[in-house]
Amino acid sequence: MRSVKRSITGKGIVLFLQGVRKDFKMNRTLYLMILPVILYFILFKYMPMYGASIAFKNYVPVKGISGSAWTGFTHFTRFFNSVYFIRLFKNTLIISLQTILWGFPAPIIFALLLNEIRTKWFKSSIQLMTYLPHFLSMVVIVGMIKEFTSTNGLINDIIVFFGGEANALLQKPDVFRTIYVSSEVWQTIGWNSIIYLAALSGIDEQLYEAARIDGANRWKQTIHITLPSIRSTIIILLILRMGRILTIGFEKIILMYNPATYRVADVISTYVYRTGLLEMNFSYSTAIGLFNAVINFSFILVANRLSRRYSETSLW
Amino acid sequence: MKKIVLLILVFSLMTHILTACGNQGQSGEGSGKQTVSQDADHMKKDKSTDDKAFSYPMKDVDLTWWLELTPSVAQNFSNLGDTAFAKNLQQLTGADIEFIHPTIGQTKEQFNLLVVSGNYPDIMEYNIVKNYIGGPAKALEDGVIMDITDYIPKYAPHLYKFYQENPEYDKLSKTDDGRYYSFPFVRTDDYLKVYFGPVVNHVWLEKLGLDYPETMDDWYHMLTLFKEKMGATAPLTFEPALLNTSTGSPFIGAFGIAEDFYMDENGDIQYGSIQPGYKKFLATFAKWYEEGLLDSDFASVDRNQVAAKLTTGESGASMGYTGSRLGVWLKSTEDNPDIDFIGVKYPVEHRGDIPKFTQRSFPLTGQGAYISTTCTDVEAAMRVLDYAYSEEGKMFHNFGIEGESYDMIDGYPTYKEFIMKNTEKPVAEVLGQYVRATYSGPFPQMREYNEQYGNSYEQQVISKENWTISETEKYTLPNITPTPEESAEIASILSEVNTYRDEMQTLYILGLEELSTYDTYVQNIRDMGIDRVIELYTKALERFNNR
């Protein structure tokens, strides 16, 4: 029995290798083209996974990863029992969901509106202006935000003009998320709309012509032709975005928050930065980061499944 | 056939890259052993050279040196190596030194990354006592810095002699079990230990007919008048971080406590931020904030914004360092008759009290230079550092080169005119090119430097006199060093406690949290384990006293 089994698998491998060889012969250039990509993923995505094992160890730099002692799930339990666990988790989720809620549809709507503009120079100058924040460094962006929101900054000037009272806005916990999310939209709207504009330009003009002949106005054309045509792009981008639901750029929050706004602004990634890099708890912060990655992964799985069931579009 | 060759090529390339990376990952693990063998190599070398015949300059020495570039130097240079100081140092010692600097403002992050990388420069300058979690004992155990106890008599005769002559410094520079680990920054004179305190615009005081404020009530009265009569929009401004224990817990100290740990009348260690006095402080500051006496951007201002508010008359009071703040503010308001600053006594609760907590540095702060475990030429590195503790080296680090940056006038090293009376740049920037005395480094800092530098304005002299009035020695915790295990426990407790304390402090002051919840706040801090930290600190203090 055993020998039979082995011979079958042996044959299977041989057949598989023959198939690969044949395929390789036919598509040599394609294989060469994918090589750098494979190497990239091995080097920068798979190799570092080895490093994630320090989450289960008491990592001491000089002893190295393999030399440090195993501790099992100690770091995870410590995080789950930490007084900050619930707050961090909640803040991360809220800020992330708000960013998706406002930040995801904004570039779509923006692209649709832009698509309606027929004057070329006007369209391209608007595009140019909205790209710009994407190219500024985070420090500059936050510098501007701080300037705008200080007691004698632009926003307070407007509030005072309409009879309100000036406040140091970045010190107010109840407006921190609003400032964060709205500045996020301002920063990304132009850049993120590019992909939708590309999808829009791929729609067959004949569809619009046919619709016009049938008597559809601009609004109807948008609903029945434009949106369905870019639906799969939207869904795929949404699934990808869901996969980053707990990953919030710590840079911007670190630059923006202060003790007064910790309770609404402190998120998992800022906590990882503080405990890991500033307090040298390398293992502990890796454990938190790993936990973060697992949650992200499950979000993407769920989003993909839902999308496959209801819209027949999915990543895999 | 060709294709098979290609395939093999690709595979071998991939495995090559994989193994190469694997090796790199392991190099960190091997470094412990490496150092051992390096030490052994070094011993051999040592036998061949005659110790007594040593003299500067050395030959064929290359070293790397990691340190923070101080802001006043960074104004004009991107690397310390470009300054006259570094060029002279290299000439005098004969060592070729490559200086490596972290990005300004990210020293802590970058030092910690350096530690993880396992690839260290020969010399690292940092404050390991204060900033390395676990302190020097842990850094030694982690194999980051080298235990130099056995090398000091041989390769650092000047430092050795200095320790022999000054046993009180010797005690501060060792671990509890008697190991040496650094070339320390030393303040050789009491005069050098005080350099920070509260500052007010005294022109306004004169206009209002007020005396210099002493009590918290005086301050309240003064700030109110600043706001009402002088049109100050933010009468008192400073960054919250300056309330820190290392700057003497100004304002908090008025209520008989420090912000962090201190010793009470019985010599017991206490944590200030849960004492009844702390509640009084919070109530006072909340009141000041509500009445607009404290800067409304209090929690988010930075150093530059503070300077701008003070020098334009938006604010009339702050806190500052003698040179880098008070000196700079004085310089930029020289032409303004309405603004002139002076340092006043640390505020107290009742008139006639002597301030208990003021800024007073230790003779050894923990700042210093360390030889890394990957240093390839320990002798050379130690010789370069040891130079600073010789008579000649001490003069060089404090005053530069005679004839170039200073002259000996009646036996007193006097900085040249172009340094002290420079029309274009502040003294700190000009002097920073020639000496390291204006900030810190591995050398003994001398009184004569500060008598000139810190006193370019008469206001600075008076300020210092006012800030010196205190009983702080009685209450300050010395630089104790918990064991690595204790430190790990302390760090994990304090990281939560301090985040929580800072957050609640800001919320109470801004009025976002009612002071009626103060008891819950204290209980929360107790639940986080503050008593355990006090217990561990008490043990460390006993060991320190027994050294």
Side-chain angles (χ1 to χ4, degrees):
Chain A
M1 272 299 275
R2 202 181 255 180
S3 61
V4 174
K5 216 177 191 173
R6 192 181 288 161
S7 77
I8 289 171
T9 41
K11 213 189 240 167
I13 289 168
V14 170
L15 274 175
F16 175 72
L17 281 179
Q18 273 173 351
V20 169
R21 193 190 298 166
K22 211 169 164 191
D23 196 50
F24 184 77
K25 211 183 273 180
M26 278 163 63
N27 304 312
R28 204 172 35 184
T29 22
L30 281 182
Y31 275 89
L32 267 180
M33 278 164 73
I34 195 127
L35 186 68
V37 180
I38 292 174
L39 282 179
Y40 168 84
F41 274 95
I42 290 175
L43 280 178
F44 297 108
K45 301 284 161 187
Y46 286 93
M47 296 287 303
M49 281 189 192
Y50 168 62
S53 64
I54 66 170
F56 305 97
K57 293 184 166 204
N58 258 338
Y59 178 62
V60 181
V62 185
K63 288 184 188 158
I65 294 173
S66 56
S68 304
W70 292 98
T71 57
F73 284 92
T74 335
H75 299 300
F76 291 91
T77 1
R78 184 179 149 203
F79 180 53
F80 298 145
N81 291 330
S82 153
V83 280
Y84 293 120
F85 173 68
I86 292 175
R87 178 167 100 175
L88 290 170
F89 194 77
K90 206 177 94 189
N91 284 344
T92 316
L93 211 61
I94 291 178
I95 293 183
S96 217
L97 285 174
Q98 282 188 349
T99 319
I100 294 181
L101 186 69
W102 300 105
F104 190 76
I108 302 174
I109 296 165
F110 182 67
L112 289 176
L113 291 175
L114 214 55
N115 199 41
E116 298 299 316
I117 296 173
R118 297 287 165 228
T119 330
K120 234 183 177 174
W121 66 265
F122 185 57
K123 187 177 169 181
S124 50
S125 49
I126 285 191
Q127 258 188 301
L128 190 71
M129 281 195 295
T130 49
Y131 289 172
L132 271 178
H134 175 83
F135 295 101
L136 293 178
S137 102
M138 198 55 90
V139 180
V140 177
I141 295 266
V142 176
M144 291 167 76
I145 296 173
K146 277 191 169 172
E147 211 50 55
F148 289 156
T149 54
S150 77
T151 316
N152 37 21
L154 178 75
I155 297 177
N156 273 309
D157 287 349
I158 296 172
I159 293 174
V160 171
F161 182 79
F162 286 104
E165 205 181 310
N167 263 310
L169 295 173
L170 276 182
Q171 281 171 203
K172 289 177 72 102
D174 35 338
V175 295
F176 180 86
R177 288 176 187 146
T178 315
I179 297 173
Y180 179 88
V181 173
S182 50
S183 65
E184 195 73 14
V185 171
W186 164 67
Q187 244 177 297
T188 55
I189 191 166
W191 185 255
N192 289 350
S193 67
I194 293 179
I195 193 158
Y196 298 112
L197 285 171
L200 286 174
S201 68
I203 303 170
D204 195 344
E205 265 308 307
Q206 288 183 13
L207 291 172
Y208 289 110
E209 255 172 59
R212 271 198 295 275
I213 290 165
D214 286 346
N217 58 21
R218 271 251 169 111
W219 176 243
K220 292 267 179 192
Q221 287 173 33
T222 310
I223 296 290
H224 295 290
I225 299 171
T226 320
L227 275 179
S229 309
I230 59 168
R231 195 182 64 173
S232 55
T233 314
I234 293 175
I235 289 172
I236 285 183
L237 285 174
L238 185 62
I239 297 172
L240 289 174
R241 183 65 190 79
M242 290 304 280
R244 290 190 287 125
I245 196 151
L246 288 193
T247 317
I248 301 181
F250 73 97
E251 248 187 322
K252 190 167 159 191
I253 294 189
I254 290 265
L255 290 165
M256 274 172 70
Y257 73 177
N258 59 56
T261 48
Y262 275 174
R263 57 169 60 166
V264 291
D266 204 11
V267 293
I268 294 180
S269 51
T270 50
Y271 189 68
V272 167
Y273 170 80
R274 285 208 311 271
T275 51
L277 214 49
L278 294 182
E279 288 161 20
M280 301 177 86
N281 286 317
F282 301 115
S283 290
Y284 182 50
S285 72
T286 311
I288 304 171
L290 204 59
F291 164 74
N292 202 5
V294 170
I295 303 276
N296 281 344
F297 187 61
S298 37
F299 267 110
I300 208 170
L301 280 182
V302 170
N304 193 54
R305 165 156 296 185
L306 287 177
S307 144
R308 193 167 50 195
R309 179 173 300 167
Y310 296 110
S311 71
E312 284 147 25
T313 311
S314 66
L315 281 176
W316 64 86
Chain B
M1 202 48 200
K2 239 190 201 167
K3 278 132 221 170
I4 293 169
V5 172
L6 193 75
L7 202 72
I8 291 169
L9 212 77
V10 167
F11 265 105
S12 62
L13 188 76
M14 273 167 62
T15 46
H16 182 75
I17 287 166
L18 285 177
T19 47
C21 287
N23 285 340
Q24 214 171 39
Q26 277 158 8
S27 69
E29 297 152 36
S31 62
K33 282 175 221 152
Q34 248 174 21
T35 32
V36 175
S37 64
Q38 273 158 14
D39 287 358
D41 280 352
H42 202 74
M43 293 297 206
K44 271 180 234 153
K45 199 166 148 198
D46 178 55
K47 275 172 199 158
S48 61
T49 52
D50 187 5
D51 222 28
K52 278 162 199 140
F54 178 83
S55 69
Y56 296 105
M58 297 178 283
K59 279 196 185 79
D60 298 327
V61 170
D62 283 296
L63 292 170
T64 48
W65 186 332
W66 186 96
L67 78 160
E68 182 181 51
L69 192 63
T70 201
S72 60
V73 178
Q75 289 284 337
N76 305 299
F77 299 91
S78 61
N79 191 294
L80 188 66
D82 300 332
T83 60
F85 165 81
K87 284 175 186 159
N88 288 333
L89 178 72
Q90 299 187 54
Q91 219 165 40
L92 290 166
T93 59
D96 258 325
I97 305 169
E98 185 196 334
F99 293 96
I100 306 163
H101 306 295
T103 319
I104 287 180
Q106 293 187 9
T107 311
K108 203 171 177 184
E109 289 95 319
Q110 296 202 4
F111 182 83
N112 293 345
L113 281 177
L114 193 70
V115 167
V116 193
S117 78
N119 225 336
Y120 311 132
D122 299 320
I123 299 170
M124 296 188 283
E125 206 177 306
Y126 194 55
N127 192 332
I128 285 208
V129 175
K130 215 171 168 187
N131 295 329
Y132 195 96
I133 308 291
K138 182 79 162 63
L140 287 168
E141 189 186 84
D142 286 353
V144 177
I145 60 172
M146 195 179 265
D147 176 359
I148 52 173
T149 319
D150 298 335
Y151 297 121
I152 283 195
K154 239 187 293 175
Y155 301 144
H158 300 112
L159 179 64
Y160 187 64
K161 195 173 149 226
F162 177 76
Y163 281 156
Q164 300 284 309
E165 288 167 359
N166 301 283
E168 72 276 28
Y169 292 151
D170 187 58
K171 180 180 172 184
L172 293 169
S173 62
K174 283 189 231 179
T175 59
D176 286 334
D177 54 7
R179 285 177 290 172
Y180 291 108
Y181 49 86
S182 78
F183 285 79
F185 174 55
V186 187
R187 298 186 196 278
T188 57
D189 198 293
D190 266 353
Y191 187 79
L192 298 164
K193 291 177 192 161
V194 174
Y195 47 75
F196 180 91
V199 171
V200 297
N201 178 357
H202 72 90
V203 180
W204 286 3
L205 284 178
E206 279 151 29
K207 281 191 181 168
L208 294 165
L210 290 173
D211 284 332
Y212 291 131
E214 276 181 35
T215 64
M216 288 298 274
D217 289 338
D218 289 348
W219 273 83
Y220 176 70
H221 185 56
M222 175 189 83
L223 294 173
T224 314
L225 289 182
F226 278 3
K227 186 183 171 217
E228 285 165 3
K229 300 269 166 64
M230 308 314 293
T233 49
L236 172 63
T237 187
F238 60 86
E239 307 106 281
L242 297 182
L243 293 171
N244 201 281
T245 299
S246 69
T247 54
S249 303
F251 297 106
I252 299 180
F255 300 97
I257 49 161
E259 190 184 36
D260 295 314
F261 297 90
Y262 65 96
M263 289 189 289
D264 64 13
E265 306 287 344
N266 306 320
D268 294 332
I269 298 179
Q270 299 288 358
Y271 183 65
S273 298
I274 50 171
Q275 302 299 326
Y278 188 64
K279 189 178 178 183
K280 283 196 208 163
F281 157 76
L282 292 174
T284 310
F285 258 45
K287 184 177 164 204
W288 289 10
Y289 181 80
E290 209 197 325
E291 296 182 10
L293 306 182
L294 203 57
D295 189 350
S296 55
D297 293 314
F298 169 71
S300 49
V301 281
D302 62 30
R303 180 185 165 155
N304 295 331
Q305 287 169 302
V306 169
K309 289 183 192 216
L310 282 169
T311 51
T312 55
E314 274 180 61
S315 304
S318 183
M319 306 184 229
Y321 297 90
T322 336
S324 65
R325 294 204 186 198
L326 185 55
V328 172
W329 300 338
L330 286 170
K331 176 129 192 151
S332 59
T333 53
E334 263 173 352
D335 304 327
N336 191 337
D338 284 332
I339 300 177
D340 196 22
F341 296 103
I342 198 143
V344 294
K345 278 190 266 183
Y346 278 68
V348 290
E349 203 177 2
H350 308 289
R351 199 171 304 281
D353 284 357
I354 298 171
K356 277 177 160 182
F357 300 94
T358 64
Q359 180 274 327
R360 176 161 301 185
S361 162
F362 296 106
L364 262 64
T365 58
Q367 184 75 25
Y370 307 83
I371 314 277
S372 79
T373 49
T374 54
C375 176
T376 45
D377 193 344
V378 179
E379 177 175 357
M382 291 190 67
R383 295 276 189 204
V384 168
L385 293 172
D386 186 49
Y387 177 71
Y389 302 86
S390 67
E391 266 319 301
E392 194 191 323
K394 200 164 92 176
M395 290 301 283
F396 169 66
H397 277 76
N398 281 283
F399 305 104
I401 289 192
E402 194 171 350
E404 195 179 323
S405 54
Y406 77 101
D407 291 314
M408 268 300 187
I409 297 174
D410 301 329
Y412 190 88
T414 315
Y415 291 124
K416 292 237 182 201
E417 187 117 309
F418 80 94
I419 291 176
M420 295 310 292
K421 301 244 157 21
N422 199 295
T423 47
E424 283 160 28
K425 290 173 186 161
V427 186
E429 281 179 36
V430 194
L431 194 53
Q433 299 173 22
Y434 295 95
V435 303
R436 291 199 63 188
T438 54
Y439 42 111
S440 71
F443 65 92
Q445 195 184 39
M446 292 164 71
R447 181 189 172 112
E448 291 86 346
Y449 129 77
N450 200 263
E451 284 174 348
Q452 300 170 69
Y453 165 77
N455 301 351
S456 15
Y457 294 94
E458 204 203 332
Q459 291 93 317
Q460 290 172 308
V461 185
I462 301 170
S463 302
K464 231 164 132 166
E465 280 165 15
N466 285 332
W467 296 340
T468 310
I469 300 166
S470 92
E471 299 184 313
T472 192
E473 284 99 343
K474 247 167 84 184
Y475 304 100
T476 316
L477 212 54
N479 260 335
I480 49 175
T481 48
T483 67
E485 293 76 38
E486 289 171 351
S487 300
E489 201 181 338
I490 292 172
S492 79
I493 296 172
L494 283 189
S495 95
E496 282 189 353
V497 166
N498 288 337
T499 309
Y500 182 63
R501 191 267 319 272
D502 291 348
E503 183 179 338
M504 294 308 284
Q505 182 189 79
T506 318
L507 293 176
Y508 281 133
I509 293 175
L510 299 186
L512 295 167
E513 185 83 43
E514 291 295 324
L515 257 177
S516 53
T517 64
Y518 187 75
D519 292 340
T520 327
Y521 155 81
V522 173
Q523 193 53 44
N524 284 340
I525 287 194
R526 290 208 188 281
D527 291 344
M528 288 175 183
I530 199 70
D531 294 325
R532 175 71 182 148
V533 179
I534 292 175
E535 190 186 324
L536 293 173
Y537 273 157
T538 309
K539 277 190 198 168
L541 183 63
E542 277 164 20
R543 285 196 307 268
F544 178 84
N545 291 332
N546 291 333
R547 264 186 210 171

